[in-house]
Amino acid sequence: MHIAFAHPSASLFPKPEASRRRRSLPRALAALGHQVSVYLPRYRQTKLTDPQTVVRSITIPFDDKYRFCSVVTAVQPPE
Protein backbone atom coordinates (compact mmCIF):
# COMPACT_ATOMS: atom_id res chain seq x y z
CA MET A 1 0.00 0.00 0.00
CA HIS A 2 1.25 3.51 -0.80
CA ILE A 3 0.52 5.95 2.05
CA ALA A 4 0.96 9.71 1.71
CA PHE A 5 1.37 12.09 4.66
CA ALA A 6 1.04 15.85 4.30
CA HIS A 7 2.25 17.86 7.28
CA PRO A 8 2.17 21.67 7.64
CA SER A 9 5.55 21.99 9.32
CA ALA A 10 8.96 20.55 8.75
CA SER A 11 11.30 20.26 11.70
CA LEU A 12 12.02 23.97 12.07
CA PHE A 13 10.17 25.09 15.16
CA PRO A 14 7.92 22.31 16.50
CA LYS A 15 8.37 20.92 19.96
CA PRO A 16 10.69 17.89 20.04
CA GLU A 17 7.91 15.54 21.20
CA ALA A 18 5.62 16.57 18.32
CA SER A 19 8.51 16.20 15.89
CA ARG A 20 9.19 12.66 17.12
CA ARG A 21 5.51 11.74 16.77
CA ARG A 22 5.39 13.20 13.24
CA ARG A 23 8.33 11.02 12.17
CA SER A 24 7.45 7.82 14.03
CA LEU A 25 4.25 6.77 12.24
CA PRO A 26 5.64 6.96 8.67
CA ARG A 27 8.77 5.07 9.78
CA ALA A 28 6.69 2.38 11.51
CA LEU A 29 4.49 1.92 8.45
CA ALA A 30 7.56 1.71 6.19
CA ALA A 31 9.03 -0.93 8.52
CA LEU A 32 5.85 -2.96 7.95
CA GLY A 33 6.56 -2.94 4.21
CA HIS A 34 4.34 -0.05 3.06
CA GLN A 35 5.57 2.59 0.63
CA VAL A 36 5.37 5.92 2.48
CA SER A 37 5.69 9.46 1.08
CA VAL A 38 5.85 12.47 3.38
CA TYR A 39 5.05 15.92 2.01
CA LEU A 40 6.33 18.98 3.87
CA PRO A 41 6.66 22.63 2.96
CA ARG A 42 10.19 23.62 2.00
CA TYR A 43 11.20 26.68 3.94
CA ARG A 44 14.39 28.59 3.20
CA GLN A 45 15.93 27.19 6.40
CA THR A 46 15.15 23.57 5.44
CA LYS A 47 18.35 21.64 4.78
CA LEU A 48 18.05 18.90 2.17
CA THR A 49 20.53 16.43 0.76
CA ASP A 50 20.69 16.47 -3.06
CA PRO A 51 17.29 18.12 -3.82
CA GLN A 52 15.91 17.40 -7.29
CA THR A 53 12.94 19.11 -8.91
CA VAL A 54 10.17 16.67 -9.83
CA VAL A 55 7.51 19.18 -10.97
CA ARG A 56 8.82 22.59 -12.02
CA SER A 57 5.64 24.64 -11.53
CA ILE A 58 2.13 24.11 -10.21
CA THR A 59 -0.41 26.94 -10.39
CA ILE A 60 -2.76 27.16 -7.42
CA PRO A 61 -5.79 29.49 -7.58
CA PHE A 62 -5.96 31.30 -4.25
CA ASP A 63 -8.79 33.81 -3.67
CA ASP A 64 -8.36 36.48 -6.34
CA LYS A 65 -4.78 35.63 -7.30
CA TYR A 66 -2.58 32.69 -8.20
CA ARG A 67 0.21 31.07 -6.19
CA PHE A 68 2.98 28.99 -7.70
CA CYS A 69 4.94 26.13 -6.22
CA SER A 70 7.11 23.24 -7.30
CA VAL A 71 7.66 19.70 -6.05
CA VAL A 72 11.16 18.69 -4.95
CA THR A 73 12.36 15.29 -3.85
CA ALA A 74 15.19 14.95 -1.36
CA VAL A 75 16.33 13.38 1.87
CA GLN A 76 16.19 15.44 5.03
CA PRO A 77 19.28 14.82 7.15
CA PRO A 78 18.65 13.24 10.58
CA GLU A 79 18.12 15.70 13.39
Side-chain angles (χ1 to χ4, degrees):
M1 179 185 299
H2 188 163
I3 302 167
F5 283 91
H7 200 277
S9 66
S11 56
L12 297 177
F13 307 112
K15 297 175 183 171
E17 184 177 322
S19 183
R20 279 194 300 275
R21 280 196 311 260
R22 185 194 76 240
R23 291 188 312 255
S24 64
L25 183 56
R27 287 180 179 172
L29 291 169
L32 291 173
H34 299 289
Q35 181 180 352
V36 180
S37 298
V38 179
Y39 297 92
L40 303 168
R42 182 177 182 195
Y43 298 105
R44 290 183 184 147
Q45 302 93 332
T46 306
K47 294 180 175 77
L48 299 173
T49 302
D50 192 29
Q52 297 177 5
T53 301
V54 177
V55 178
R56 184 173 298 242
S57 182
I58 299 173
T59 305
I60 302 171
F62 188 78
D63 290 336
D64 61 342
K65 52 190 140 185
Y66 292 98
R67 302 286 182 178
F68 303 95
C69 67
S70 62
V71 177
V72 176
T73 185
V75 175
Q76 187 175 17
E79 299 170 7

